[in-house]
Amino acid sequence: MISRIWHGWTTRENADAYEKLLRTEIFVGIAKRGIQGYRGIHLLRRDVQDGTEFVTIMWFDSFEDVRAFAGEDHEVAVVPPKARELLSRFDDRSAHYEVVVGQG
């Protein structure tokens, strides 16, 4: 299992709109792509000194499945234009980890 982790930051004023965009459009669109090996996404949110930080954690069966989502350079951040309009800054690249222990 591969975990893809990415961070983005908004102003507090844009935080609710950004979360709504993620929940109602972006995450739904990812699921509709039907990417083999895509196992879901978690969204984390917290207020920080200069706004609101969001973290997405996506789950894939393999790096091949990550490439089916992100492209050959699988570390490049996938940030749609509507999201870019609401973000004040974001990671240009995502980090990937092999999951060695999972409990649930």
Side-chain angles (χ1 to χ4, degrees):
M1 174 88 49
I2 304 299
S3 177
R4 176 183 172 95
I5 300 176
W6 174 88
H7 298 83
W9 293 264
T10 69
T11 62
R12 286 202 177 90
E13 295 77 24
N14 284 341
D16 289 341
Y18 180 67
E19 181 178 337
K20 181 179 179 183
L21 175 68
L22 289 173
R23 290 173 174 264
T24 63
E25 292 184 39
I26 294 175
F27 293 171
V28 171
I30 292 168
K32 285 183 178 179
R33 288 177 59 186
I35 299 166
Q36 183 177 346
Y38 169 66
R39 299 295 173 216
I41 191 166
H42 288 105
L43 177 63
L44 309 177
R45 174 180 171 164
R46 71 176 178 148
D47 286 336
V48 293
Q49 185 173 2
D50 61 345
T52 303
E53 177 186 16
F54 289 88
V55 178
T56 58
I57 306 171
M58 300 179 78
W59 308 95
F60 295 91
D61 286 341
S62 69
F63 281 110
E64 186 175 294
D65 300 327
V66 174
R67 285 185 189 91
F69 166 72
E72 192 57 36
D73 184 359
H74 68 280
E75 289 187 352
V76 170
V78 178
V79 185
K82 282 185 177 181
R84 290 174 186 260
E85 291 175 13
L86 294 170
L87 291 166
S88 52
R89 63 188 169 99
F90 56 87
D91 292 343
D92 291 327
R93 302 186 72 76
S94 297
H96 297 82
Y97 299 86
E98 289 185 53
V99 179
V100 295
V101 175
Q103 293 182 294

